[in-house]
Amino acid sequence: MKWNTRITNLLGIERPIVQGGLAYLAYHELASAVSNAGGLGQLTAMSMDTPELLRKEINLTKRKTSKPFGVNFAIGQHGRPFEHMVEAALDEGVDIISVTGGNPKPVFDMVRGTNTKVLVLTAGKRQAVKAEELGADAVMVVGQEGGGHLGKDDTSTMVLVPQVVEALTIPVIASGGIGDGRGLMAALSLGAEGIEMGTRFIATKECTHAHKAYKDRIISSKETDTVIIKRSLGAPARVIRNQFADRIQEIETRQEGYESLKDYISGEANKRFIYEGKDEDGFAWAGQVIGSIHDVPTVAELFDRFDEEASKVVEKWSEQKGVIT
Ligand SMILES: Cc1cc2nc3c(=O)[nH]c(=O)nc-3n(C[C@H](O)[C@H](O)[C@H](O)COP(=O)(O)O)c2cc1C
């Protein structure tokens, strides 16, 4: 199957599929596997403690793939400075940078004059329009089904994508709730020119940093097995439902603010689940799409499956099997 959209052309990739930033999970193993399989793999810069570590991961990725890959910056995260990390990525000549979680203007100021493309991940139309004004090459827009941090408005991918497509002239990448070829075709039908996925990539062989217990939990869960935490802090984010997440929600009902929550929502609490496999003593980001993830393939196997599923959609529509008469 040969894919041709403004996103494949812009990013120089074979499939309109972007691996989203995945905090503490997306290192060179996953990023290079996604890029080698024809999508856009990404490293997650803000999970790395120093610019030197980021440079090291970039170079390990370059060693494993000659194809384009990106570096993701969740710039709002941990209130940490990000400029020296962006500088390191630019210095290493990365093809693509993606930004989320805060005002991306400082990143645009740094990228200006280089060949690096900038994608901005937003959860709303207003921010998407702003990203285009600032000079984004494409916008990714994530609906409330997605894993990890979300918008505050609870707008679904289905509702958000066509409205953002209408509001922008640059290409749009749909994100949130997509896990197979049918989802990809649905996103393209809504006017998106590519998709971004997070949760589906955790349950792949090359996501080597994710503990088996995390992958097992993803493949055995139903679509109703996620909950939103941190809403009381104005930063809603979707996690796998477990006793720990229930406890967070319970504390949130008391409206006691960040201090009462900080140990529960820390990077350490996240790592206990995703690295150590303590799946009731920590939290793990995941989206509602877990309900339709049932195995742990390689990224290449996953993408082959996407092609088969997409072909079936094309066949179904072209033969008009009673769908349109
Ligand atoms: C475990 C996990 C960690 C994430 N970390 C980041 C991150 O560091 N930066 C970012 O831009 N997005 C992050 N996201 C969001 C994803 O890139 C993507 O937008 C989202 O997962 C899409 O929804 P889906 O999970 O339904 O595919 C994360 C998502 C998950 C599940």
Side-chain angles (χ1 to χ4, degrees):
M1 206 155 190
K2 194 157 166 25
W3 298 92
N4 178 23
T5 72
R6 282 193 294 169
I7 287 299
T8 56
N9 296 327
L10 174 77
L11 305 179
I13 55 179
E14 291 140 46
R15 301 163 182 279
I17 304 179
V18 175
Q19 169 238 311
L22 291 170
Y24 304 126
L25 297 169
Y27 297 89
H28 66 276
E29 300 88 348
L30 181 61
S32 61
V34 174
S35 290
N36 279 333
L40 183 79
Q42 294 202 85
L43 300 170
T44 307
M46 298 310 278
S47 301
M48 299 171 208
D49 286 337
T50 63
E52 289 67 41
L53 283 175
L54 175 58
R55 282 179 193 274
K56 193 174 151 215
E57 282 296 318
I58 291 172
N59 285 302
L60 286 168
T61 313
K62 281 182 187 164
R63 240 181 268 165
K64 293 193 113 185
T65 184
S66 55
K67 300 197 172 164
F69 64 91
V71 179
N72 170 263
F73 293 88
I75 57 177
Q77 233 177 40
H78 320 303
R80 270 179 59 198
F82 54 84
E83 289 80 359
H84 55 306
M85 302 293 269
V86 175
E87 236 167 63
L90 293 175
D91 197 38
E92 295 294 338
V94 298
D95 304 298
I96 295 126
I97 276 181
S98 68
V99 191
T100 192
N103 178 6
K105 184 167 182 308
V107 177
F108 284 107
D109 292 343
M110 296 177 75
V111 170
R112 199 165 298 120
T114 71
N115 292 325
T116 301
K117 307 270 188 317
V118 182
L119 313 178
V120 178
L121 173 66
T122 76
K125 187 161 69 176
R126 190 178 54 79
Q127 300 92 317
V129 169
K130 183 82 195 155
E132 172 163 303
E133 284 168 8
L134 284 170
D137 292 285
V139 163
M140 305 189 278
V141 59
V142 60
Q144 62 89 33
E145 303 92 322
H149 286 91
L150 303 167
K152 292 178 199 164
D153 299 324
D154 289 343
T155 319
S156 70
T157 304
M158 187 85 176
V159 167
L160 209 45
V161 172
Q163 297 193 36
V164 173
V165 167
E166 265 172 41
L168 303 189
T169 58
I170 55 174
V172 173
I173 296 170
S175 178
I178 303 171
D180 59 29
R182 296 168 301 179
L184 166 59
M185 296 305 273
L188 297 182
S189 301
L190 295 175
E193 298 184 55
I195 57 166
E196 184 206 46
M197 300 189 295
T199 304
R200 177 64 262 200
F201 282 117
I202 301 168
T204 59
K205 292 216 165 60
E206 294 92 339
C207 189
T208 52
H209 292 258
H211 194 281
K212 182 174 180 302
Y214 190 6
K215 296 183 183 185
D216 284 349
R217 198 79 179 226
I218 288 176
I219 65 179
S220 63
S221 291
K222 301 189 294 295
E223 77 283 7
T224 47
D225 289 337
T226 66
V227 290
I228 291 185
I229 60 168
K230 292 173 62 180
R231 205 188 273 285
S232 67
L233 302 178
R238 193 175 289 285
V239 295
I240 292 175
R241 181 196 293 273
N242 63 359
Q243 285 168 20
F244 197 83
D246 288 347
R247 176 92 183 105
I248 294 174
Q249 286 194 318
E250 198 184 295
I251 298 169
E252 289 198 85
T253 58
R254 301 205 294 264
Q255 296 285 342
E256 289 168 356
Y258 177 72
E259 278 303 309
S260 63
L261 284 167
K262 67 173 197 265
D263 292 341
Y264 287 91
I265 58 172
S266 66
E268 282 61 43
N270 189 200
K271 288 176 193 169
R272 279 203 300 276
F273 188 144
I274 70 170
Y275 286 172
E276 296 170 35
K278 294 180 179 162
D279 62 356
E280 290 297 338
D281 186 29
F283 70 86
W285 311 120
Q288 293 176 334
V289 73
I290 52 175
S292 57
I293 298 174
H294 307 301
D295 61 358
V296 183
T298 64
V299 174
E301 284 164 357
L302 180 68
F303 284 177
D304 283 348
R305 222 182 277 168
F306 265 67
D307 278 357
E308 278 165 37
E309 290 155 352
S311 299
K312 276 191 194 145
V313 173
V314 172
E315 199 185 314
K316 189 168 163 185
W317 284 88
S318 58
E319 287 180 9
Q320 299 181 356
K321 289 184 176 165
V323 178
I324 308 168
T325 52

